[in-house]
Amino acid sequence: MIKAAVIGATGFTGALLARMLQAHPEAQPAVLTSSSFVGRRVHEVFPEIRHEAEYVAYEPSIVSEMDVAFVCYPHTQAHPVVAELRDRGVRVVDLSADFRLPAEDYPEWYGFQHPRPDLVQEAVYGLPERYQEEIRAANIVANPGCFPTGMLLAVLPLAGWLELDLVVVDSKSGVSGAGKTPSSKTHFSTVHDNFRSYTEIGHRHAAEMIGELSRAAGHKVPISFTPHLLPVDRGILSTVYCRPSAGTKIPDEAALRARYEDFYQGKPFLEVREHAPALSEVQYTNYCRVAPLVDRQAGLIKVVSAIDNLVKGASGQAVQNMNLMFGLAETLGLEGRQ
Amino acid sequence: MIKAAVIGATGFTGALLARMLQAHPEAQPAVLTSSSFVGRRVHEVFPEIRHEAEYVAYEPSIVSEMDVAFVCYPHTQAHPVVAELRDRGVRVVDLSADFRLPAEDYPEWYGFQHPRPDLVQEAVYGLPERYQEEIRAANIVANPGCFPTGMLLAVLPLAGWLELDLVVVDSKSGVSGAGKTPSSKTHFSTVHDNFRSYTEIGHRHAAEMIGELSRAAGHKVPISFTPHLLPVDRGILSTVYCRPSAGTKIPDEAALRARYEDFYQGKPFLEVREHAPALSEVQYTNYCRVAPLVDRQAGLIKVVSAIDNLVKGASGQAVQNMNLMFGLAETLGLEGRQ
Amino acid sequence: MIKAAVIGATGFTGALLARMLQAHPEAQPAVLTSSSFVGRRVHEVFPEIRHEAEYVAYEPSIVSEMDVAFVCYPHTQAHPVVAELRDRGVRVVDLSADFRLPAEDYPEWYGFQHPRPDLVQEAVYGLPERYQEEIRAANIVANPGCFPTGMLLAVLPLAGWLELDLVVVDSKSGVSGAGKTPSSKTHFSTVHDNFRSYTEIGHRHAAEMIGELSRAAGHKVPISFTPHLLPVDRGILSTVYCRPSAGTKIPDEAALRARYEDFYQGKPFLEVREHAPALSEVQYTNYCRVAPLVDRQAGLIKVVSAIDNLVKGASGQAVQNMNLMFGLAETLGLEGRQ
Amino acid sequence: MIKAAVIGATGFTGALLARMLQAHPEAQPAVLTSSSFVGRRVHEVFPEIRHEAEYVAYEPSIVSEMDVAFVCYPHTQAHPVVAELRDRGVRVVDLSADFRLPAEDYPEWYGFQHPRPDLVQEAVYGLPERYQEEIRAANIVANPGCFPTGMLLAVLPLAGWLELDLVVVDSKSGVSGAGKTPSSKTHFSTVHDNFRSYTEIGHRHAAEMIGELSRAAGHKVPISFTPHLLPVDRGILSTVYCRPSAGTKIPDEAALRARYEDFYQGKPFLEVREHAPALSEVQYTNYCRVAPLVDRQAGLIKVVSAIDNLVKGASGQAVQNMNLMFGLAETLGLEGRQ
């Protein structure tokens, strides 16, 4: 049994990780830390997690005997903990943004100078459909952002196959993506029966998208990204418009779908579909569904992708990464409803 | 008092029209027709409409003494009624798609040969922010589709000002846009807590968008349009990505906003905003809010527009058109919550 | 024109009052106070209120020239302001609970000794369907709680007509009843797709119900009240089970409905219905609908009542009270959608 | 492996059964029948069920080799199928109402004369918390209605312990309880942001409640039952008001809770709680939570119970019954999220 710690186990992603690890056949949530619930039993705080252990305060020493630690802290608060645990030899899956970008990009996108470029260098971007081999050997996995996960899985099969001139990413997310802290923005009366965009220019997840897509494409691709807030709890649906460079021949839909099916051959959580997926098809699961479509009139390829933001977009993908890191079947503990 | 008929007064748009006309200071819903509710009192069928008249079966003779008729039939069923009423001299606002396109486009987009190209020729596209003068004199007003209304109000200020190379229109609509007829697609259990795109390629409203935008721009602009279904009853939010041709200088945000404010000077229902609007800011009103933003990194202009699909996108705009046709203040009966 | 002040004009009830007064033909929101938005324009804070004035900090002197003040403070914070304004001669409609109960009941139900029993004595309980005459002459109107409004309008026709042995009040409220302050209880992810009861024993609104019903019945009636939280923004639906004393003959449904229609004869906002109302029939209006039904098998009368908690349950009823206090038609400014 | 047939496998309860059986460690959905989807693959119709078999048309012969059949037909359509299967020796769990009442009650409550009183006599009411032993031996299990399940689990511990004079059952159900067939009542625009009661007098589920509670109490208890429709997909929350006969001493809350804990000792899916449960605590699970509370002021006991209407209220309970019928652990395949 893999002994796992969840650092910050009472936020949305941490609590879901605790539940998934509790049900995992080869792992157990041996340490669950919390700042606000120390001493309270898990089952009492989260009735749906049937686990009788108590939350403890975080201290590196109690984590140091773990096989793996999942760090569920906000960005800028995660990297000191990751460093501390790595220095003690614990393998880490970090759910924050602190190890996703090249070290030199942190001042621009996150407003701080990263103190541990060595660890950033060591970290592997935890998108198993792309970096499966690297993840197996990784000591630090930077679990991708929820929006980049959905977007990259929609576009990666095109990168290097067609030359792209512009990618427009129009994403719609459930409210759980905004986290658990109450604010007027997440008040029921604000969100219910409503819809809006936010951070229309310069959202930080664009940095991951630009970096990873450009790396795959071999050149920098302009990306226009707009997140929107759905009156829904879970899921991200992204409609991605990929315009090939002038002169590029646009394939027909059968060839396009064949490319996607080929690209995702053997990837257990990727489902290429003929019809655009609804959020309900993936909510509470680790699956990602993508449907690539040809819009010949406008001269572009339209891809609709759907994931659950807390599962494939966070905690489920983290477990998938753990499975790879420890030589387990990639799908272990991930096939049912989470 | 203007005597108005609503033909098809028990669907979503017809019922709203009946209520708005009932509250209008210079008009009255003198004839309300229905196929399924003949003989029943309005207030009994719609508790929120405090009108004691009875629904009658449609017959041209009972409408012929009206000053204006609002035709709320589905496309292909509306044009015979419009023709019948025009031949009797009644002015018509048609809420269907039967008079919005050039006659020769109907076979391609709607699958039928239009029998009355003369009337199509005579009809004015009822977007008051663009065709105010023509509407004043019109005998047939083709009330615009809900998606084209939101999209055109977002983009028209750019047409002719910047040369556009591509327009991506990502629209999200409330369920009332799908009409009142029950189906598995509008079942609560299908829509609630869910989100999806539909008719990703070739939606008929694209025809209106392409036609009107190209006319305003002076050349054909490629448009990629995707409608989505929100778990919300009312409203359309469109995120519109406008890419200028290579070499076109993109203005800064202040100049861009100045262009929009200038363009919509004196248009009472258009509000140009610095921040992207939420649906809740326009639901149940005849207002349209647009926020034009510069995405310099991707090299394009992003415009967010919000309307209520049944008010500004249908019945409210129809009343606005009636006001113009009869020389009334454009805002009469349209300022409060509908 | 009646000059009105709204004290606390940026909470849910205060903002709605400001909007309703703005649209009222005989009143104007001349002073709007706020603690957090001083100096900001109303239209900027609430896009849907087309009023260009600025919020000011509360001070008795700026209110003293008003004809009426609506106090929208929480209980225990309202009574000092009411006292201050009354001492300056301003007529007051208080939306808090501070003047609804007999002074001697405050320690038990609200945990404080009321400092101004004289003003409590002077205050009139602002339920126009019961105290119309007293309200006309009142200087302090204690605007009823939202739950008591819906419950009393359901039960008052029975009081004194049948001898009641037990009244069970099962109420379901929209989230706006919990106010605007963000908390984990009003977080979208908590409320959405969910339902729960709260304060199952000893909710303070039971005090108003018991007091007013017992006064009307002439004897103390046991009441069991349970509020529940709906994933809906607006409205309260109460299902009220009224069990007559043993030996009381239960009328048939026609006689029962006749009693209700008779009791509410001439009350413009009360609609007695044969079929139980849905929330949507009253949301955003000042109407209350009640349907009294006979459950002969169980030996009781079941009454379903529906109101909008912020309109008839708060701000609309406050305007209705103002109309009465100033000799205006009771329905002025209250007939449309609010 | 138990070979199971699901007769009517594409409605809400049938599809959920198929999914649960697919994931069950000791059973398999060997035959899935459908009238409208014959020949289509399960996974294609329900993307969330990863089962590649095809739907077949119902015929007794293809079911006759099964160990058990779950009949998911509407009432009056189920009993002929149950009879046919019983005559071939197949054990049956019937999810309809056709075997829940004494045969002589069908004319009054369901409007038909039951043709097989012998089978009705043989059938066991499938509430495992009450009839565990009888279910083990049963050949026909009449799976209880969703409302009776939640209500009976709330009240049974009181029956025979206190003498009850009146039980008021105020139930609120998610929309999935109304089934999959589209109608104006289940249209998103009707249900969303709305709430209402229905069948306020004489709902058929009252027959089960009265029958089972009276049997347990040893005398007939008057019950007033009102179902309501929540804008939620899944779950039933019932607030049950139990008034003891005059002169009965009402226990204190500790004694009351002790009674419930004692009564449900060893029942794996029953959780007695101090605080009233929210729907979210049980949705998508087979658990039922009950919180018994004392309302001393009104002289009654208030019990809040929550279940998922499709799991514990239908398909989950059906699997629980199958587990008992085949000597398996009662909880097999039922502990996670369904």
Side-chain angles (χ1 to χ4, degrees):
Chain A
M1 290 294 269
I2 300 165
K3 284 184 292 178
V6 180
I7 314 299
T10 54
F12 283 149
T13 57
L16 179 55
L17 262 169
R19 194 169 72 187
M20 293 178 73
L21 291 167
Q22 172 72 357
H24 195 284
E26 298 285 343
Q28 50 170 309
V31 168
L32 300 175
T33 84
S34 167
S35 49
S36 19
F37 293 93
V38 172
R40 295 188 54 192
R41 286 180 310 107
V42 176
H43 183 45
E44 177 202 340
V45 177
F46 294 99
E48 69 278 15
I49 312 181
R50 298 177 190 284
H51 187 54
E52 295 301 329
E54 284 182 6
Y55 293 106
V56 298
Y58 170 71
E59 258 190 278
S61 62
I62 58 166
V63 181
S64 59
E65 293 179 19
M66 297 292 109
D67 298 306
V68 64
F70 295 91
V71 178
C72 301
Y73 279 180
H75 58 82
T76 78
Q77 294 174 35
H79 66 76
V81 172
V82 173
E84 221 161 41
L85 295 175
R86 276 311 301 141
D87 293 349
R88 277 167 172 78
V90 181
R91 295 173 86 183
V92 175
V93 179
D94 177 35
L95 283 86
S96 86
D98 285 0
F99 294 88
R100 293 179 194 157
L101 304 183
E104 61 271 24
D105 286 1
Y106 282 91
E108 179 189 345
W109 288 94
Y110 285 91
F112 74 99
Q113 191 72 44
H114 204 297
R116 292 296 297 271
D118 59 322
L119 293 180
V120 175
Q121 181 69 28
E122 192 191 332
V124 172
Y125 191 71
L127 191 67
E129 287 72 19
R130 180 146 168 76
Y131 298 111
Q132 193 179 39
E133 285 316 307
E134 294 85 338
I135 293 164
R136 286 192 211 278
N139 286 320
I140 304 180
V141 168
N143 215 55
C146 51
F147 288 118
T149 295
M151 178 274 190
L152 290 168
L153 294 173
V155 184
L156 285 177
L158 297 180
W161 190 62
L162 291 183
E163 186 169 312
L164 297 174
D165 178 43
L166 173 68
V167 174
V168 168
V169 185
D170 196 282
S171 296
K172 302 85 176 174
S173 172
V175 178
S176 57
K180 210 177 161 175
T181 311
S183 79
S184 70
K185 295 192 174 181
T186 55
H187 192 294
F188 180 83
S189 298
T190 309
V191 176
H192 169 70
D193 205 33
N194 200 1
F195 182 69
R196 70 175 314 152
S197 60
Y198 61 96
T199 327
E200 294 82 8
I201 307 295
H203 189 285
R204 285 153 167 176
H205 281 186
E208 275 172 77
M209 296 179 188
I210 294 169
E212 286 296 320
L213 180 59
S214 301
R215 194 193 306 196
H219 65 99
K220 193 162 177 190
V221 181
I223 293 179
S224 185
F225 168 54
T226 319
H228 301 74
L229 189 66
L230 286 170
V232 151
D233 192 41
R234 299 278 286 268
I236 292 177
L237 190 138
S238 296
T239 313
V240 188
Y241 303 84
C242 305
R243 191 184 220 193
S245 307
T248 305
K249 193 169 168 295
I250 296 181
D252 64 21
E253 215 158 280
L256 179 66
R257 203 155 55 239
R259 165 67 185 172
Y260 273 71
E261 276 163 0
D262 195 53
F263 191 89
Y264 288 128
Q265 184 64 33
K267 304 299 178 196
F269 294 112
L270 259 285
E271 301 187 310
V272 180
R273 311 293 291 180
E274 193 172 344
H275 298 291
L279 270 193
S280 60
E281 298 175 26
V282 300
Q283 284 167 321
Y284 302 95
T285 80
N286 199 52
Y287 289 86
C288 171
R289 296 195 155 183
V290 295
L293 308 166
V294 175
D295 184 344
R296 201 159 294 281
Q297 196 144 25
L300 50 75
I301 287 164
K302 201 182 278 195
V303 191
V304 179
S305 88
I307 60 167
D308 183 294
N309 59 313
L310 292 186
V311 188
K312 183 62 179 165
S315 308
Q317 186 146 267
V319 171
Q320 191 180 352
N321 282 318
M322 177 193 79
N323 286 343
L324 291 171
M325 291 163 81
F326 290 86
L328 304 173
E330 196 171 344
T331 57
L332 214 61
L334 286 168
E335 283 175 311
R337 280 176 68 87
Q338 312 300 335
Chain B
M1 291 293 269
I2 300 165
K3 284 183 293 177
V6 180
I7 314 300
T10 54
F12 284 150
T13 57
L16 179 54
L17 261 170
R19 194 169 73 189
M20 293 179 73
L21 291 168
Q22 171 73 356
H24 194 285
E26 299 284 343
Q28 48 170 311
V31 168
L32 301 176
T33 83
S34 168
S35 48
S36 18
F37 294 93
V38 172
R40 294 188 55 192
R41 286 181 311 105
V42 177
H43 183 45
E44 177 202 338
V45 178
F46 295 98
E48 69 279 15
I49 311 182
R50 297 175 193 285
H51 187 54
E52 295 301 329
E54 284 181 7
Y55 292 106
V56 296
Y58 170 72
E59 259 190 276
S61 63
I62 58 167
V63 181
S64 61
E65 291 179 22
M66 298 290 109
D67 298 305
V68 64
F70 295 91
V71 178
C72 301
Y73 279 178
H75 58 83
T76 78
Q77 294 175 34
H79 66 76
V81 172
V82 172
E84 220 161 39
L85 295 176
R86 274 312 300 141
D87 293 347
R88 278 168 172 76
V90 181
R91 297 173 85 183
V92 175
V93 179
D94 177 36
L95 284 86
S96 85
D98 284 0
F99 295 88
R100 294 179 193 156
L101 303 183
E104 62 271 23
D105 287 2
Y106 282 91
E108 179 189 345
W109 288 95
Y110 285 90
F112 74 98
Q113 191 72 41
H114 205 296
R116 291 295 299 269
D118 59 321
L119 294 180
V120 175
Q121 180 69 26
E122 192 191 332
V124 172
Y125 192 70
L127 192 67
E129 286 72 20
R130 181 145 166 78
Y131 297 111
Q132 194 179 40
E133 286 316 308
E134 294 86 340
I135 293 164
R136 285 193 213 279
N139 285 321
I140 304 180
V141 169
N143 216 54
C146 52
F147 288 119
T149 295
M151 177 273 188
L152 290 168
L153 295 173
V155 184
L156 285 178
L158 298 180
W161 190 62
L162 292 182
E163 187 170 309
L164 297 175
D165 178 41
L166 173 68
V167 174
V168 168
V169 184
D170 195 282
S171 296
K172 300 87 176 175
S173 172
V175 178
S176 57
K180 209 175 161 176
T181 310
S183 79
S184 70
K185 297 195 174 177
T186 56
H187 191 295
F188 180 83
S189 298
T190 309
V191 176
H192 170 70
D193 206 34
N194 199 2
F195 182 68
R196 71 174 315 153
S197 60
Y198 61 96
T199 326
E200 294 82 7
I201 306 294
H203 190 284
R204 285 156 167 176
H205 280 185
E208 276 173 75
M209 297 179 186
I210 293 168
E212 286 297 319
L213 180 59
S214 301
R215 194 194 307 196
H219 65 99
K220 195 162 176 191
V221 182
I223 293 178
S224 185
F225 168 56
T226 320
H228 301 73
L229 188 67
L230 286 169
V232 150
D233 193 41
R234 298 277 289 268
I236 292 176
L237 192 136
S238 297
T239 313
V240 187
Y241 304 83
C242 306
R243 189 182 225 195
S245 307
T248 305
K249 193 169 168 297
I250 295 181
D252 64 21
E253 214 159 283
L256 179 67
R257 203 155 52 240
R259 166 67 186 171
Y260 273 71
E261 277 164 359
D262 196 50
F263 191 88
Y264 287 128
Q265 185 63 34
K267 304 298 177 196
F269 295 111
L270 259 287
E271 301 188 310
V272 180
R273 311 292 292 180
E274 194 171 343
H275 298 291
L279 270 194
S280 61
E281 298 175 28
V282 300
Q283 282 166 324
Y284 302 95
T285 80
N286 199 51
Y287 289 86
C288 171
R289 294 195 156 184
V290 295
L293 308 166
V294 174
D295 184 343
R296 201 160 294 281
Q297 198 143 21
L300 51 76
I301 287 164
K302 201 182 277 195
V303 190
V304 180
S305 89
I307 60 167
D308 184 294
N309 59 312
L310 292 187
V311 188
K312 183 61 178 167
S315 308
Q317 187 145 268
V319 170
Q320 191 180 351
N321 281 319
M322 176 193 79
N323 286 344
L324 290 172
M325 290 163 82
F326 290 85
L328 304 173
E330 197 171 344
T331 57
L332 214 61
L334 287 169
E335 284 175 311
R337 280 175 70 87
Q338 310 303 334
Chain C
M1 290 294 268
I2 300 167
K3 285 184 291 177
V6 180
I7 314 299
T10 54
F12 283 149
T13 57
L16 179 55
L17 261 170
R19 194 169 73 188
M20 293 178 73
L21 291 168
Q22 173 72 359
H24 194 285
E26 298 285 342
Q28 49 171 309
V31 168
L32 300 175
T33 84
S34 167
S35 49
S36 18
F37 293 93
V38 172
R40 295 187 55 191
R41 285 181 311 106
V42 176
H43 183 45
E44 178 202 339
V45 178
F46 295 98
E48 70 278 15
I49 312 182
R50 299 177 190 284
H51 186 56
E52 295 301 328
E54 284 180 6
Y55 292 106
V56 297
Y58 170 72
E59 259 189 276
S61 62
I62 58 165
V63 181
S64 60
E65 291 181 19
M66 297 291 108
D67 298 306
V68 64
F70 295 91
V71 178
C72 301
Y73 279 179
H75 58 83
T76 77
Q77 294 175 35
H79 67 75
V81 172
V82 173
E84 219 160 41
L85 295 175
R86 275 313 299 142
D87 293 347
R88 276 166 173 80
V90 181
R91 296 173 86 183
V92 175
V93 179
D94 177 36
L95 283 85
S96 86
D98 285 0
F99 295 88
R100 293 179 194 157
L101 303 183
E104 62 271 24
D105 286 1
Y106 282 91
E108 179 189 346
W109 289 95
Y110 285 90
F112 73 99
Q113 191 73 42
H114 204 296
R116 291 296 297 269
D118 58 320
L119 293 179
V120 174
Q121 180 69 27
E122 193 191 332
V124 172
Y125 191 70
L127 191 67
E129 287 72 20
R130 179 146 167 78
Y131 298 111
Q132 192 179 40
E133 285 317 307
E134 294 86 339
I135 293 165
R136 285 192 212 278
N139 285 321
I140 303 179
V141 169
N143 215 55
C146 52
F147 288 118
T149 295
M151 178 273 190
L152 289 168
L153 294 173
V155 184
L156 284 177
L158 297 180
W161 190 62
L162 291 182
E163 187 169 311
L164 297 175
D165 178 43
L166 172 68
V167 175
V168 168
V169 184
D170 196 282
S171 296
K172 303 86 178 175
S173 172
V175 178
S176 58
K180 210 175 159 176
T181 311
S183 79
S184 70
K185 296 193 175 179
T186 56
H187 192 295
F188 180 84
S189 298
T190 309
V191 176
H192 170 70
D193 205 34
N194 199 2
F195 182 69
R196 71 175 313 152
S197 60
Y198 60 96
T199 326
E200 294 82 7
I201 307 293
H203 190 285
R204 284 154 168 177
H205 280 186
E208 276 172 77
M209 296 178 187
I210 294 168
E212 286 296 321
L213 179 59
S214 300
R215 193 193 307 195
H219 65 99
K220 196 163 177 189
V221 182
I223 293 178
S224 184
F225 168 56
T226 319
H228 301 74
L229 189 66
L230 287 169
V232 150
D233 192 40
R234 299 277 288 268
I236 292 176
L237 190 137
S238 296
T239 313
V240 187
Y241 304 83
C242 305
R243 188 182 223 194
S245 307
T248 304
K249 191 169 169 297
I250 295 182
D252 65 20
E253 214 158 282
L256 179 67
R257 201 153 57 239
R259 166 66 185 173
Y260 273 71
E261 277 163 1
D262 194 51
F263 191 87
Y264 287 129
Q265 183 64 33
K267 304 299 179 196
F269 294 112
L270 259 287
E271 301 187 310
V272 181
R273 311 293 291 181
E274 193 171 345
H275 298 291
L279 269 194
S280 60
E281 297 175 28
V282 299
Q283 283 168 324
Y284 302 96
T285 80
N286 200 51
Y287 289 85
C288 172
R289 294 194 157 185
V290 294
L293 307 165
V294 174
D295 184 344
R296 201 160 294 281
Q297 196 143 24
L300 50 75
I301 287 163
K302 200 181 278 196
V303 191
V304 179
S305 88
I307 59 168
D308 184 294
N309 60 312
L310 292 186
V311 187
K312 183 60 180 168
S315 308
Q317 186 146 267
V319 170
Q320 191 180 352
N321 282 319
M322 177 192 79
N323 286 344
L324 290 171
M325 291 164 80
F326 289 86
L328 304 173
E330 197 170 345
T331 57
L332 214 60
L334 287 169
E335 283 174 311
R337 278 175 71 87
Q338 311 301 334
Chain D
M1 290 294 269
I2 300 166
K3 284 184 291 177
V6 180
I7 313 300
T10 54
F12 283 149
T13 57
L16 180 54
L17 261 170
R19 193 168 74 189
M20 293 179 72
L21 291 168
Q22 171 73 356
H24 194 285
E26 298 285 344
Q28 48 170 310
V31 168
L32 300 175
T33 84
S34 167
S35 48
S36 18
F37 293 93
V38 172
R40 295 187 54 191
R41 285 181 311 105
V42 177
H43 183 45
E44 177 202 340
V45 178
F46 295 98
E48 69 278 15
I49 312 182
R50 298 176 191 284
H51 187 55
E52 295 302 327
E54 284 181 5
Y55 293 106
V56 297
Y58 170 72
E59 259 190 275
S61 62
I62 58 167
V63 182
S64 60
E65 291 179 20
M66 297 292 109
D67 298 306
V68 64
F70 295 91
V71 178
C72 302
Y73 279 180
H75 58 83
T76 77
Q77 294 175 34
H79 67 76
V81 173
V82 173
E84 219 161 40
L85 296 175
R86 274 314 299 142
D87 294 348
R88 277 167 172 77
V90 182
R91 295 174 84 183
V92 175
V93 179
D94 177 35
L95 284 85
S96 85
D98 285 359
F99 295 87
R100 295 179 193 156
L101 303 184
E104 63 269 25
D105 286 0
Y106 282 92
E108 179 189 346
W109 288 95
Y110 285 89
F112 74 98
Q113 191 72 41
H114 204 297
R116 292 295 297 268
D118 59 320
L119 294 180
V120 175
Q121 180 69 26
E122 191 190 333
V124 172
Y125 192 70
L127 192 66
E129 287 71 20
R130 179 142 169 79
Y131 298 110
Q132 194 179 39
E133 286 317 307
E134 293 85 338
I135 294 164
R136 286 193 212 276
N139 286 320
I140 303 179
V141 169
N143 216 53
C146 52
F147 288 118
T149 296
M151 177 274 190
L152 290 168
L153 294 173
V155 184
L156 284 177
L158 298 180
W161 190 61
L162 291 183
E163 186 170 310
L164 297 176
D165 179 42
L166 172 69
V167 174
V168 169
V169 184
D170 196 282
S171 296
K172 301 86 176 175
S173 172
V175 178
S176 57
K180 212 176 160 174
T181 311
S183 79
S184 70
K185 296 195 175 178
T186 56
H187 192 294
F188 180 84
S189 298
T190 309
V191 176
H192 170 69
D193 205 33
N194 199 3
F195 182 69
R196 70 174 314 151
S197 59
Y198 61 97
T199 327
E200 295 82 8
I201 306 295
H203 190 285
R204 284 154 167 177
H205 281 187
E208 276 172 76
M209 298 179 186
I210 293 169
E212 286 296 320
L213 180 59
S214 300
R215 194 193 307 196
H219 64 99
K220 195 162 178 192
V221 182
I223 292 179
S224 184
F225 169 55
T226 319
H228 301 73
L229 189 66
L230 286 169
V232 151
D233 193 40
R234 299 277 288 267
I236 292 177
L237 191 136
S238 296
T239 313
V240 187
Y241 304 83
C242 305
R243 189 182 223 196
S245 307
T248 305
K249 195 170 167 295
I250 295 181
D252 65 21
E253 214 159 282
L256 179 67
R257 203 155 53 241
R259 165 68 186 171
Y260 273 71
E261 278 163 359
D262 196 49
F263 191 88
Y264 287 128
Q265 184 65 32
K267 305 298 177 197
F269 294 112
L270 259 287
E271 301 187 311
V272 180
R273 311 292 292 180
E274 193 171 344
H275 298 291
L279 270 193
S280 61
E281 297 175 28
V282 299
Q283 283 167 324
Y284 301 96
T285 80
N286 198 51
Y287 289 86
C288 171
R289 296 196 154 182
V290 294
L293 308 165
V294 174
D295 184 343
R296 200 160 293 283
Q297 198 143 24
L300 50 76
I301 287 164
K302 201 181 276 195
V303 190
V304 180
S305 88
I307 60 168
D308 183 294
N309 58 313
L310 292 186
V311 188
K312 182 61 178 167
S315 308
Q317 186 145 269
V319 171
Q320 191 180 351
N321 282 320
M322 176 193 78
N323 287 343
L324 290 171
M325 290 164 81
F326 290 85
L328 304 173
E330 196 171 345
T331 57
L332 213 63
L334 287 169
E335 283 174 313
R337 280 175 69 85
Q338 311 302 334

